Amino acid sequence: MRIPSFIYLYDSGKTESLNLNEISQYLKNIFKKSKIQIRDDIITCYLSNFFFKEREKVIDNLANQMTKIKVREIEIKNTVFEPLQGEIEYEKKRLSESGNKSFGILYDGFELMTILSKLIAKEESDFSYCHIVFTNQLFSTWDEGDLRYHARVSVYGFPSVISTTGIVEAPAKPREFYLKKQLWIDIYTLKEEFRGRFIDYDDLRMTEVMKGYVLQAIFYHITGNPFCKDKNCRLYNAHWQEEVIQAQLNKNSEYCKKHQKIIKQFGTENFKNEYI
């Protein structure tokens, strides 16, 4: 376990409310000895290695892979199917035009991470590099507890992937929201009534919220344990929107005492794994 020398943030989400420069500066204040860099969409970065004709073949290959990791049935794990040509063409268009969103499509999060991991240059594939990809794709992971897929905000690994769509769709909204939804109250009326109690698309709080998820990704990279049990710590693994807001926004200190002590040492020579 060691502090990464390089932390790369990939702007694959193309979300106006997400300010990666602010997140980069936030990290620089913590990881004073690491090089923090913002990069373009990870697909665009990878495709820049190829000439035009080669690029078309690479996009075809990636499009095929993406269609196969779509979650078709929430309650069936690893569904095997032959993708339709229209689905492949959709993915090719999305991959060819940086910033396109994959509306209404749910992907397997760990399979997505596996595909993206193959796009990282070999010389940047050791643990002195921490790659964090922001995406607008919605992904899920399989839960062995209730045997179904659940939408997620993030999956942590190499690279870690954080979804700006996931932060809106994955954590559950207040219970009353769903009770009123059952009464056929339209979604726009409900969003207005519960405004402030959940993170929405183009939410001005997006950047501040994502600082905690980036720190979780780096904690995973360094320690293998990204989460804290304290609901007031940014490393808390929130499953409800109000927990997200509590952990990331409504507090006097950003982290619990234990993690505050660890974070203070990240940028110094005094970092000790014994605190992990």
Side-chain angles (χ1 to χ4, degrees), residues 202-214:
D202 300 320
D203 199 305
L204 296 178
R205 300 169 295 177
M206 182 76 75
T207 299
E208 193 62 35
V209 167
M210 285 302 178
K211 290 175 183 175
Y213 285 88
V214 169

Side-chain angles (χ1 to χ4, degrees), residues 234-247:
R234 278 190 186 271
L235 302 182
Y236 182 71
N237 185 19
H239 290 85
W240 290 82
Q241 286 282 347
E242 289 176 320
E243 291 178 338
V244 171
I245 291 169
Q246 176 67 27

Side-chain angles (χ1 to χ4, degrees), residues 89-142:
E89 293 300 324
Y90 174 86
E91 290 294 343
K92 285 167 62 176
K93 181 176 175 56
R94 188 181 64 78
L95 292 166
S96 301
E97 299 174 12
S98 176
N100 276 353
K101 294 185 178 181
S102 51
F103 291 105
I105 299 177
L106 185 64
Y107 300 88
D108 183 300
F110 288 113
E111 295 288 349
L112 175 63
M113 186 168 63
T114 299
I115 290 174
L116 297 181
S117 70
K118 296 174 183 174
L119 309 185
I120 294 172
K122 186 177 180 180
E123 61 270 21
E124 296 180 354
S125 295
D126 63 63
F127 279 95
S128 59
Y129 294 86
C130 178
H131 301 269
I132 302 172
V133 178
F134 285 95
T135 180
N136 53 41
Q137 291 173 276
L138 184 61
F139 52 76
S140 62
T141 62
W142 179 259

